[in-house]
C-alpha cells in the first residue's frame, strides 16, 4: 500500500452524517479515455468542436428514449430525503456527492434548455447554461457515483441517481469525454472476450492449473472445462475469478459444486466475462454488444442452461437485462430460469440434499456478509422477492458454524456500496474509493469489535477487489474478504454422494 | 373584479389541465427500455398497485428515510386532501349525487381543521429547508417561494374560516356561474378572498411547469411501477427492437 496523499477518515461504529464541506472532492477525476479507447465503442476520440450543441442534442435524445430520466429530472421536490444516504457523501462531506446534489448538476442544464421555467426564469429554478466548466464538473462528479441505487430506495418518487449518472456518462462519451478505465475494458471485451484481456490459451492454462491444485489439495479430479460443446450448463463468470484472490477460490468452489452434483458444465472463451461495463457508461448499444457474446456462446456450445458466477453488476445485467438485450432464450431448457445465479444452483442442491457440506471446515472463521448493491437493489434470486438476501445467507450458514449480520441499516436493500462499484474500481480514484468505503467499514468494525467477526463474505468481483485494496487503509487485513463459494469450497464433502 | 377573476380562473384551469395532460402524454409515450424496479419489487401487477398505493397514501419510502420530513410532508398532503374535499361544497349543486357526502358534518369539520395540519406541515417543511444545511444547499428560490405561496393560501383560508368569515353564499353563486357558464353573480370582494383565490389560480398556472409534477411523476417512476419478472417475460422497447434487425 502506497502512502496516501489524502487523509484517511477515522472509523466510528455508527456512521455520522457530516456537515457540508463544499468542493472537497472537486479535484477527483479519473483518467480521460484516449482515442483508441473511444473509437471501438463508437464514440469520438476526443472532445468534439461542437460539444455544446451535441451534448444538448444527446440529452434530448436520451430524454425521448428513457422514461426514467424524463420523470426523474422533473419530479424532484428537493425534500432532502436522499441527502444523507450516499456513501460518497458520508465519506467526503462534499455536497455535490449528495444524490440530489449530483442530480442537480444535470438537472440545472435540463431545466435551462428543456423547460419553460428554466428558459425564461433560470434564476428562479436554479437553471444554468451548459459551459465547458459544466462538462468538467459532470466528468468529476458523475464518476463519483457507483450507481448503487441506495438513494433510490429512500426517495419518495424512486428517483434513481444511477439512471442520471448513466445518462450523464453517455452524454460525455458522445462528446468525446469518455472514461479510460471503463472504455478501455469494453474495447478489450470486444477484441478478446473479457475485461482482463485473457486469450483462450491463457484461460485454458489457468483452468488446467486449478485442476492440478484441487487434485493436490483434495485428491479429487475436479474438472474446469473450457469450450466443451454439448455441455448442459454454460457458466459465465467475471474474469477476475480466473486469477484474483479471493475470487479464484470462488471459482474453485463452483467447479466442486458442479462436480459433486454430477452436472455437466463448461466455460466459454468467447463469453469469458460476466461483467458488462456497458451498463456503467449507460450505453444500451455497448451493453447489448457485450451481452450478445453470451447468446452466441450458448448457441455455439449448444448448452441447455446459463449460470452466472459471483458478480454484482453482472447479475444485474444478467437477471434484469439479459432477456431484453440478448433474448429470447427459447433455445434453452425451459425448466430453468434464464439465467440462473450460481447461488440459486448451490442453494437448490443444498435444499435437495444433493451435496453435503461440513461447516466445521470453516471453524477458523466468524463470518459476516456484505450485500452487494446491485444484487440487493437491482435483482432477485429464487422465486420470492428478497431471495437475494436470504439465499446467500442460507448458503453461508450451511457452510459455516458462526455467522453474524452487520447493523440492519447497512444490509439488505439498505446495504452500502463497497465504494468501488459503477466503473470506479481504478487506481486513479483511490481517494474516492477509500473514503466511499467508510459506511461499510464502520459497520464491519462494529461486528469485529462486538462479535469477533474475522471474515466478510462477498458475492461480487468488484466488492472483493475493492475491499482487498481498501481494508489495509483502515488497518484491517486484506485476506478478511472471502468469496461465498470459497466457503462452500472449504465445506463441501467431495465424494459423499457417490 | 368579477370579470377579472372569472377570466383568470378559466385560463389557469385550462393551463393546469392541458399542461398536465401534455406532461402525462409525454411520460406515457416515452419508453422505459429496461427493467429497473428498485428491489425487492412485487412479482405481479397487483403487487405493484399495492406498492404504489403505499407510496401514494403513506409515503412509505419517505417514512423509511426521515421521520421528520415524513411527518411534515404527510400532514401537509393529507390536510390538503381533506381541505380540498371540503371546498367541493362551493362548486357543487345541492342536487348533485355527492352532495350529502360532501356536505356531511364530519367532512366539513375535518376539512376546516385540516387547515391547521397544513399550516403545521408547511412550517415544518420550511424550517427544515432553512435550518438543515443539506436541505438549504439544494434549495433554489423557487423551492422557498412554493412553500411561501402555499403558506399564504393556507393562512388566508384560515382567516376566512376562523377569523373574518366572508359572504360564502355570494361566493358560491359566483362559482356556480363559472361552472354553468352563466353570469350575474358578483364576486364578494374581500382582501383575504382575493389573495386566496388569486394565489390558487397562480398555483394552478405554475403546476405543469414546476416540481409539482412530482404528483403525476410518481405514477410513471419505473423504479416503483415495474413488475419484477424480467426472466419470465421479455421486456423490449420499440427503439431497442430496431437494433435487432
Amino acid at each position: 500500500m502506497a502512502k496516501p496523499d489524502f487523509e484517511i477518515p477515522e472509523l466510528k461504529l455508527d456512521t455520522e452524517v457530516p456537515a457540508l464541506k463544499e468542493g472537497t472532492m472537486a479535484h477527483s477525476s479519473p483518467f480521460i479515455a484516449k482515442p483508441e479507447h473511444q473509437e471501438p465503442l463508437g464514440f469520438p476520440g476526443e472532445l468534439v468542436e461542437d460539444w455544446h450543441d451535441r451534448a444538448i442534442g444527446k440529452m434530448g435524445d436520451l430524454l425521448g428514449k428513457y422514461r426514467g430520466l424524463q420523470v426523474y429530472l422533473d419530479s424532484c421536490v428537493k425534500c432532502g430525503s436522499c441527502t444523507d444516504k450516499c456513501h460518497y457523501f458520508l465519506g467526503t462531506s462534499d455536497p455535490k456527492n449528495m444524490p440530489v446534489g449530483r442530480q442537480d448538476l444535470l438537472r440545472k442544464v435540463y431545466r435551462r434548455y428543456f423547460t419553460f421555467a428554466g428558459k425564461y426564469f433560470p434564476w428562479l429554478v436554479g437553471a444554468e447554461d451548459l459551459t465547458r466548466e459544466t462538462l468538467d464538473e459532470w466528468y468529476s462528479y458523475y464518476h463519483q457515483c457507483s450507481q448503487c441505487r441506495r438513494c433510490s430506495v429512500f426517495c419518495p418518487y424512486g428517483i434513481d441517481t444511477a439512471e442520471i449518472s448513466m445518462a450523464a456518462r453517455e452524454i460525455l462519451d458522445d462528446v468525446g469525454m469518455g472514461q479510460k478505465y471503463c472504455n478501455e475494458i469494453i474495447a478489450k471485451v470486444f477484441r478478446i472476450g473479457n475485461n482482463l484481456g485473457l486469450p483462450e490459451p491463457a484461460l485454458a492454462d489457468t483452468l488446467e492449473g486449478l485442476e492440478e491444485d484441487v487434485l493436490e489439495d483434495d485428491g479429487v479430479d475436479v474438472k474446469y472445462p473450457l469450450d466443451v460443446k454439448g455441455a448442459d450448463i454454460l457458466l459465465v463468470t467475471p474474469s477476475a475469478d480466473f486469477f484474483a484472490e479471493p475470487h479464484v477460490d470462488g471459482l474453485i468452489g463452483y467447479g466442486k459444486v458442479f462436480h459433486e452434483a454430477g452436472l455437466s458444465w463448461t466455460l466459454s472463451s468467447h463469453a469469458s466475462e460476466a461483467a458488462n461495463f456497458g451498463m456503467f457508461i449507460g450505453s444500451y448499444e455497448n451493453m447489448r454488444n457485450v451481452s450478445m457474446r453470451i447468446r452466441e456462446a450458448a448457441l455455439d456450445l449448444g448448452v441447455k442452461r446459463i449460470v452466472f458466477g459471483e458478480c454484482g453488476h453482472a447479475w444485474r445485467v444478467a437477471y434484469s437485462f439479459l432477456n431484453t438485450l440478448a433474448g429470447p432464450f427459447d433455445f434453452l431448457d425451459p425448466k430453468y430460469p434464464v439465467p440462473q445465479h450460481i447461488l440459486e444452483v448451490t442453494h437448490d442442491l443444498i435444499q435437495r440434499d444433493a451435496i453435503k457440506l461440513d461447516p466445521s471446515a470453516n471453524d477458523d472463521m466468524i463470518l459476516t456478509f456484505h450485500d452487494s448493491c446491485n444484487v440487493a437493489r437491482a435483482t432477485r434470486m429464487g422465486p420470492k422477492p428478497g431471495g437475494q438476501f436470504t439465499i446467500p445467507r442460507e448458503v453461508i450458514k450451511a457452510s459455516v458454524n458462526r455467522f453474524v449480520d452487520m447493523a440492519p441499516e447497512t444490509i439488505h436493500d439498505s446495504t452500502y456500496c463497497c465504494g468501488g462499484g459503477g466503473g470506479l474500481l481504478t487506481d486513479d480514484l483511490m481517494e474516492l474509493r477509500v473514503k466511499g468505503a467508510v459506511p461499510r467499514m464502520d459497520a464491519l468494525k462494529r461486528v469485529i469489535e462486538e462479535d469477533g467477526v474475522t471474515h466478510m463474505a462477498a458475492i461480487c468481483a468488484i466488492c472483493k477487489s475493492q475491499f482487498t485494496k481498501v481494508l489495509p487503509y483502515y488497518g484491517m487485513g486484506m485476506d478478511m474478504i472471502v468469496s461465498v463459494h470459497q466457503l462452500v469450497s472449504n465445506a463441501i464433502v467431495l465424494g459423499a454422494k457417490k | 373584479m368579477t370579470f377579472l377573476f372569472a377570466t383568470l380562473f378559466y385560463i389557469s384551469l385550462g393551463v393546469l389541465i392541458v399542461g398536465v395532460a401534455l406532461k402525462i402524454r409525454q411520460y406515457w409515450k416515452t419508453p422505459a427500455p429496461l427493467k429497473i424496479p428498485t428491489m425487492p419489487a412485487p412479482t405481479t401487477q397487483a403487487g405493484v398497485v399495492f406498492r404504489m398505493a403505499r407510496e401514494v397514501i403513506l409515503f412509505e419510502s419517505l417514512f423509511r428515510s426521515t421521520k421528520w420530513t415524513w411527518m411534515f410532508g404527510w400532514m401537509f398532503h393529507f390536510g390538503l386532501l381533506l381541505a380540498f374535499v371540503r371546498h367541493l361544497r362551493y362548486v357543487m349543486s345541492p342536487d348533485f349525487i355527492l352532495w350529502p357526502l360532501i356536505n356531511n358534518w364530519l367532512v366539513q369539520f375535518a376539512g376546516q381543521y385540516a387547515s391547521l395540519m397544513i399550516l403545521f406541515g408547511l412550517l415544518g417543511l420550511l424550517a427544515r429547508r432553512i435550518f438543515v444545511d443539506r436541505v438549504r444547499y439544494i434549495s433554489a428560490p423557487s423551492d422557498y417561494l412554493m412553500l411561501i405561496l402555499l403558506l399564504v393560501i393556507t393562512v388566508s383560508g384560515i382567516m376566512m374560516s376562523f377569523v373574518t368569515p366572508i359572504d360564502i353564499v355570494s361566493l358560491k353563486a359566483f362559482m356556480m356561474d363559472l361552472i354553468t357558464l352563466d353570469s350575474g353573480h358578483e364576486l364578494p370582494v374581500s382582501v383575504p378572498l382575493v389573495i386566496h383565490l388569486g394565489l390558487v389560480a397562480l398555483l394552478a398556472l405554475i403546476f405543469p411547469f414546476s416540481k409539482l409534477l412530482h404528483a403525476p411523476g410518481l405514477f410513471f417512476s419505473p423504479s416503483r411501477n415495474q413488475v419484477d419478472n424480467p426472466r419470465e417475460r421479455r421486456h423490449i422497447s420499440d427503439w431497442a427492437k430496431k437494433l435487432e434487425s
Side-chain angles (χ1 to χ4, degrees):
Chain A
M1 187 183 93
K3 191 173 158 29
D5 53 3
F6 53 87
E7 206 177 321
I8 296 165
E10 195 189 328
L11 294 188
K12 315 267 190 342
L13 297 182
D14 285 310
T15 304
E16 287 170 11
V17 180
L20 304 185
K21 280 192 221 116
E22 284 191 45
T24 55
M25 292 301 282
H27 61 279
S28 176
S29 210
F31 296 143
I32 296 241
K34 298 197 177 82
E36 67 262 33
H37 309 134
Q38 287 279 92
E39 279 149 11
L41 281 63
F43 302 132
E46 52 191 31
L47 187 65
V48 294
E49 291 242 331
D50 60 339
W51 53 266
H52 180 277
D53 295 351
R54 191 150 170 172
I56 299 300
K58 186 71 188 173
M59 190 185 281
D61 176 44
L62 295 177
L63 285 165
K65 281 163 110 177
Y66 292 91
R67 178 188 291 164
L69 183 66
Q70 176 69 55
V71 170
Y72 297 155
L73 287 176
D74 278 337
S75 298
C76 179
V77 298
K78 314 296 172 85
C79 73
S81 173
C82 63
T83 55
D84 56 352
K85 301 299 185 286
C86 174
H87 52 290
Y88 290 121
F89 169 69
L90 295 171
T92 67
S93 314
D94 190 322
K96 285 177 184 157
N97 276 332
M98 300 188 298
V100 50
R102 193 183 319 283
Q103 294 163 20
D104 277 353
L105 300 176
L106 198 73
R107 188 175 284 120
K108 65 185 182 186
V109 176
Y110 162 72
R111 284 187 169 164
R112 184 78 180 101
Y113 295 85
F114 294 93
T115 72
F116 176 83
K119 274 179 195 162
Y120 300 103
F121 309 98
W123 52 273
L124 191 64
V125 294
E128 280 176 33
D129 288 335
L130 174 66
T131 64
R132 188 62 191 75
E133 288 71 40
T134 319
L135 283 190
D136 288 335
E137 201 173 40
W138 285 357
Y139 191 78
S140 172
Y141 285 99
Y142 287 113
H143 290 106
Q144 300 190 43
C145 169
S146 58
Q147 306 172 342
C148 82
R149 314 182 86 209
R150 191 168 191 268
C151 48
S152 153
V153 171
F154 295 100
C155 173
Y157 319 113
I159 296 174
D160 184 359
T161 314
E163 292 295 304
I164 293 175
S165 101
M166 287 169 189
R169 291 186 192 180
E170 194 170 10
I171 295 170
L172 287 166
D173 270 325
D174 201 59
V175 298
M177 275 181 83
Q179 184 214 19
K180 174 174 180 268
Y181 174 68
C182 281
N183 293 4
E184 184 176 25
I185 278 177
I186 295 169
K188 223 181 279 176
V189 175
F190 292 153
R191 211 169 56 245
I192 300 163
N194 55 64
N195 286 8
L196 294 168
L198 296 168
E200 192 271 337
L203 277 179
D205 199 46
T206 306
L207 295 172
E208 210 171 293
L210 292 185
E211 291 174 357
E212 286 164 15
D213 291 347
V214 175
L215 186 60
E216 198 173 306
D217 293 344
D218 300 89
V220 180
D221 191 19
V222 177
K223 289 293 174 202
Y224 291 84
L226 181 65
D227 293 331
V228 176
K229 289 208 180 205
D232 286 345
I233 295 173
L234 168 64
L235 178 77
V236 185
T237 205
S239 56
D241 280 6
F242 296 120
F243 82 104
E245 287 283 349
H247 313 56
V248 69
D249 300 307
L251 174 58
I252 291 173
Y254 318 150
K256 288 187 187 175
V257 167
F258 288 137
H259 173 91
E260 191 57 20
L263 295 167
S264 131
W265 69 290
T266 183
L267 290 151
S268 153
S269 58
H270 181 68
S272 48
E273 182 61 70
N276 191 329
F277 282 24
M279 183 179 92
F280 296 155
I281 63 168
S283 167
Y284 190 99
E285 287 82 356
N286 278 291
M287 186 160 69
R288 179 171 180 274
N289 289 342
V290 173
S291 292
M292 285 306 282
R293 300 180 72 93
I294 295 166
R295 180 187 181 87
E296 288 152 13
L299 282 167
D300 180 49
L301 296 170
V303 296
K304 300 192 179 106
R305 302 162 63 181
I306 300 175
V307 173
F308 273 71
E310 296 178 7
C311 183
H313 84 282
W315 182 236
R316 179 178 192 188
V317 179
Y319 176 85
S320 292
F321 305 158
L322 195 67
N323 197 9
T324 297
L325 297 166
F329 287 98
D330 41 14
F331 57 90
L332 297 172
D333 186 342
K335 285 209 300 287
Y336 302 94
V338 182
Q340 279 181 293
H341 196 283
I342 183 71
L343 275 163
E344 293 180 312
V345 175
T346 302
H347 183 257
D348 178 55
L349 292 170
I350 295 170
Q351 297 285 303
R352 292 195 284 114
D353 210 19
I355 54 172
K356 188 169 185 298
L357 297 170
D358 171 18
S360 69
N362 287 311
D363 273 353
D364 54 332
M365 302 187 231
I366 303 178
L367 264 301
T368 192
F369 175 65
H370 167 73
D371 288 283
S372 294
C373 49
N374 272 301
V375 175
R377 288 185 283 263
T379 75
R380 194 179 84 212
M381 290 180 198
K384 288 199 289 283
Q388 67 269 38
F389 313 133
T390 53
I391 287 177
R393 282 174 174 78
E394 282 172 21
V395 170
I396 294 171
K397 285 178 185 167
S399 307
V400 308
N401 280 318
R402 293 181 291 176
F403 175 82
V404 182
D405 253 322
M406 286 180 279
E409 66 276 14
T410 72
I411 60 169
H412 292 189
D413 62 341
S414 298
T415 190
Y416 281 105
C417 166
C418 61
L424 309 180
L425 190 77
T426 169
D427 285 352
D428 37 324
L429 293 173
M430 212 55 227
E431 178 181 358
L432 180 75
R433 288 169 55 189
V434 170
K435 292 182 172 174
V438 162
R440 176 47 76 225
M441 293 294 109
D442 283 341
L444 177 60
K445 190 175 179 197
R446 176 177 278 261
V447 289
I448 290 174
E449 292 190 358
E450 294 181 357
D451 303 288
V453 161
T454 62
H455 290 79
M456 179 161 70
I459 44 169
C460 165
I462 288 176
C463 297
K464 293 171 195 172
S465 299
Q466 156 76 355
F467 286 134
T468 304
K469 188 97 176 196
V470 163
L471 278 167
Y473 284 86
Y474 293 104
M476 297 186 248
M478 56 193 285
D479 53 358
M480 277 193 76
I481 302 304
V482 294
S483 299
V484 170
H485 272 79
Q486 174 180 355
L487 301 170
V488 174
S489 173
N490 292 341
I492 196 166
V493 184
L494 293 174
K497 295 285 162 186
K498 291 285 146 68
Chain B
M1 203 59 134
T2 300
F3 178 74
L4 183 77
F5 266 85
T7 316
L8 182 63
F9 265 52
Y10 286 129
I11 292 176
S12 55
L13 194 64
V15 169
L16 174 71
I17 291 170
V18 173
V20 172
L22 286 175
K23 263 297 173 188
I24 288 177
R25 182 167 166 270
Q26 179 190 39
Y27 294 159
W28 190 278
K29 293 188 79 140
T30 309
L34 292 165
K35 281 278 192 174
I36 59 167
T38 314
M39 304 280 198
T43 53
T44 62
Q45 193 61 46
V48 165
V49 171
F50 186 53
R51 178 187 205 176
M52 196 59 95
R54 294 198 312 270
E55 288 294 354
V56 172
I57 298 167
L58 303 175
F59 302 3
E60 182 182 46
S61 296
L62 188 59
F63 182 78
R64 279 186 71 182
S65 174
T66 140
K67 302 291 183 280
W68 283 108
T69 312
W70 174 83
M71 187 182 79
F72 294 135
W74 192 83
M75 286 180 80
F76 162 65
H77 283 88
F78 191 64
L80 197 61
L81 176 69
L82 293 178
F84 177 79
V85 171
R86 169 181 149 90
H87 280 73
L88 291 176
R89 186 169 64 153
Y90 308 134
V91 292
M92 193 181 277
S93 156
D95 31 303
F96 189 66
I97 188 161
L98 288 178
W99 177 259
L101 185 69
I102 299 301
N103 201 38
N104 174 291
W105 169 84
L106 187 63
V107 169
Q108 289 299 314
F109 176 83
Q112 188 176 12
Y113 283 87
S115 58
L116 302 176
M117 248 172 104
I118 299 177
L119 181 66
F120 183 78
L122 286 172
L123 288 173
L125 291 173
L126 185 62
R128 242 186 95 74
R129 207 169 274 299
I130 294 169
F131 295 114
V132 178
D133 65 343
R134 302 189 308 280
V135 187
R136 189 167 61 235
Y137 178 87
I138 56 172
S139 299
S142 57
D143 297 313
Y144 294 101
L145 289 173
M146 192 69 79
L147 285 173
I148 292 167
L149 175 64
L150 290 164
L151 272 169
V152 177
I153 292 173
T154 308
V155 170
S156 57
I158 288 174
M159 291 294 290
M160 290 183 282
S161 203
F162 292 98
V163 186
T164 50
I166 57 157
D167 179 0
I168 199 74
V169 177
S170 304
L171 174 67
K172 178 156 184 180
F174 166 77
M175 294 307 295
M176 294 311 292
D177 274 1
L178 288 183
I179 291 168
T180 55
L181 303 180
D182 217 334
S183 65
H185 295 96
E186 294 289 311
L187 180 70
V189 175
S190 80
V191 175
L193 183 66
V194 167
I195 293 175
H196 195 73
L197 293 184
L199 293 184
V200 167
L202 178 64
L203 189 69
L205 272 176
I206 59 177
F207 196 105
F209 310 103
S210 70
K211 66 176 184 179
L212 298 179
L213 287 172
H214 69 276
L218 171 58
F219 294 94
F220 290 91
S221 172
S223 40
R224 293 287 183 269
N225 76 5
Q226 287 186 337
V227 181
D228 168 16
N229 61 357
R231 288 195 289 195
E232 290 76 25
R233 282 181 57 178
R234 184 156 191 245
H235 173 92
I236 185 110
S237 69
D238 287 342
W239 67 259
K241 191 95 194 154
K242 291 196 184 104
L243 299 174
E244 292 180 2
S245 53

